[in-house]
Amino acid sequence: MSYDLTGKRIWVAGHRGMVGSAVVRRLAEEPCEVLTAGRDTLDLTDQAAVRDWMQKIRPDAIVMAAARVGGIKANNDFPVDFLLQNLLIETNIAQAAHEADVNRFLFLGSSCIYPKMAPQPIPESSLLTGPLEPTNEWYAIAKIAGIKLCQAYRKQYGRDWISAMPTNLYGPGDNYDLESSHVLPALLRKVHEAKVAGAPSVELWGTGTPLREFLHCDDLADALVFLLKEYSGYDHVNVGSGSEVTIRELAEVIARVVGYDASLTFDTTKPDGTPRKLMDSSRLHALGWNRARPLVDGIAHAYAHWLEHGGRETGPMRAAR
Ligand code: GFB
């Protein structure tokens, strides 16, 4: 299968978020036209507005990077927001896309769709084989519904809609708000602020023992454009870097990048979440993509970008990836 992007009009939903903006940057290298809609123009939770916009714009393809996202605490604290907003965004866009005859659609899920105790590395076939991790089951259920929507439109209407499941992501445009962010930007900020203040220690949440796999958003964007061009199929495709670190090791890598050797303390009243979630990305590799950069290089890039942009948070819980 090969989907030629030449002359195609591609809507990147959620283009201001970390993933959406990375996809826009990557698509700029392709001979296609990128379409975007700011939040001031289009409320993705408004069904009628999404339908009207889609009828007017009629894209050839959609990359669905819009979502309500956040780290472990935000997911745990705001279950309604994570479940409801993601369901609304997904169903509105999918239904409107079908009505506007959009035949190419790339949906983005998350590694948290898999059971908490899935075999490691996690194959795509683990989906719906066991109970979810309770801190993020709300987000996971919404993302599983998105995968199923793509499969349902393929089955009932023959739509060439596909899904990709990224692992934990980071990079330019990430959320650095300490309450709602993921661990990587949180630790970059904490270590940086400890360095500036000359503080002797940095506090991490949980025990530091959970394992996580991290992927730079520009690597994800490259993989997504690859899938858009090269993949057609009912099954979703994992997108990971293939290597994992404990949260303690992550903090140590970040300390090296920032250049500050603080001691680490652990707030074990905060949840660890899932103990391990390394994805099996062999399906993606077999299709021909395997270009994830080393973690230390990616973190150095993210840190430089954050410093260039004033080392400030990008806001709590944006409604776009
Ligand atoms: O990245 P994170 O918030 O989310 O946390 P998940 C990963 C691990 O880092 C957990 C620990 O074990 C946290 O307890 N951690 C240590 C910290 N210090 C910190 C800190 O300062 N901030 C944060 N945020 N964590 C998310 C899901 O799970 O992963 C989402 O909640 C989504 O739904 C996303 O799937 C990819 O990796 O646990």
Side-chain angles (χ1 to χ4, degrees), residues 5-302:
L5 297 186
T6 307
K8 295 290 189 319
R9 300 168 65 252
I10 303 176
W11 178 32
V12 180
H15 74 286
R16 288 199 196 286
M18 178 175 73
V19 170
S21 55
V23 172
V24 169
R25 286 195 296 277
R26 177 60 187 79
L27 282 175
E29 298 167 24
E30 301 290 329
C32 61
E33 182 187 347
V34 177
L35 310 172
T36 59
R39 220 175 306 165
D40 41 339
T41 328
L42 180 61
D43 174 0
L44 296 176
T45 64
D46 179 339
Q47 186 180 29
V50 173
R51 180 178 280 145
D52 289 351
W53 193 84
M54 198 83 77
Q55 287 295 331
K56 198 168 74 195
I57 302 299
R58 302 190 80 88
D60 297 304
I62 298 173
V63 179
M64 225 308 247
R68 181 69 176 250
V69 299
I72 191 166
K73 184 172 189 306
N75 270 265
N76 205 25
D77 289 353
F78 302 104
V80 174
D81 296 357
F82 277 79
L83 181 56
L84 191 62
Q85 290 190 15
N86 284 305
L87 284 174
L88 285 171
I89 293 169
E90 287 161 20
T91 52
N92 288 347
I93 293 181
Q95 189 184 11
H98 173 63
E99 288 169 4
D101 204 20
V102 179
N103 204 40
R104 195 73 178 133
F105 186 107
L106 171 52
F107 176 74
L108 293 189
S110 163
S111 55
C112 69
I113 60 161
Y114 293 114
K116 177 172 182 153
M117 293 305 172
Q120 308 282 328
I122 312 172
E124 285 88 351
S125 57
S126 287
L127 183 63
L128 294 173
T129 56
L132 298 164
E133 154 60 31
T135 54
N136 58 33
E137 62 181 329
W138 324 97
Y139 181 70
I141 291 285
K143 288 296 182 183
I144 293 169
I147 300 170
K148 289 292 160 193
L149 261 181
C150 289
Q151 294 177 342
Y153 276 102
R154 177 177 287 272
K155 188 165 186 247
Q156 191 172 336
Y157 295 109
R159 293 275 176 221
D160 189 7
W161 290 8
I162 59 173
S163 299
M165 292 310 112
T167 191
N168 285 34
L169 303 167
Y170 68 96
D174 210 342
N175 173 15
Y176 284 80
D177 172 74
L178 292 180
E179 283 292 294
S180 58
S181 70
H182 290 97
V183 63
L184 198 152
L187 296 189
L188 256 181
R189 180 174 175 173
K190 285 181 181 179
V191 175
H192 172 79
E193 289 182 350
K195 180 182 178 180
V196 170
S201 63
V202 167
E203 187 176 85
L204 274 61
W205 295 352
T207 61
T209 58
L211 284 154
R212 292 290 183 277
E213 176 189 26
F214 295 97
L215 182 72
H216 191 285
C217 62
D218 287 339
D219 292 339
L220 173 70
D222 194 59
L224 294 179
V225 171
F226 172 82
L227 287 172
L228 195 59
K229 292 200 281 195
E230 304 298 341
Y231 179 69
S232 174
Y234 182 84
D235 294 322
H236 60 282
V237 180
N238 287 345
V239 185
S241 63
S243 59
E244 58 183 344
V245 288
T246 65
I247 297 303
R248 178 192 277 277
E249 287 165 346
L250 174 70
E252 290 165 356
V253 174
I254 286 175
R256 281 210 305 281
V257 169
V258 173
Y260 190 66
D261 193 15
S263 67
L264 303 177
T265 62
F266 295 90
D267 176 0
T268 52
T269 64
K270 296 282 198 313
D272 268 342
T274 207
R276 190 179 177 201
K277 50 175 172 176
L278 176 65
M279 306 246 268
D280 177 350
S281 300
S282 53
R283 177 175 289 165
L284 177 66
H285 299 162
L287 287 165
W289 190 93
N290 191 0
R291 265 180 283 163
R293 74 193 69 188
L295 181 62
V296 65
D297 296 354
I299 292 177
H301 180 262

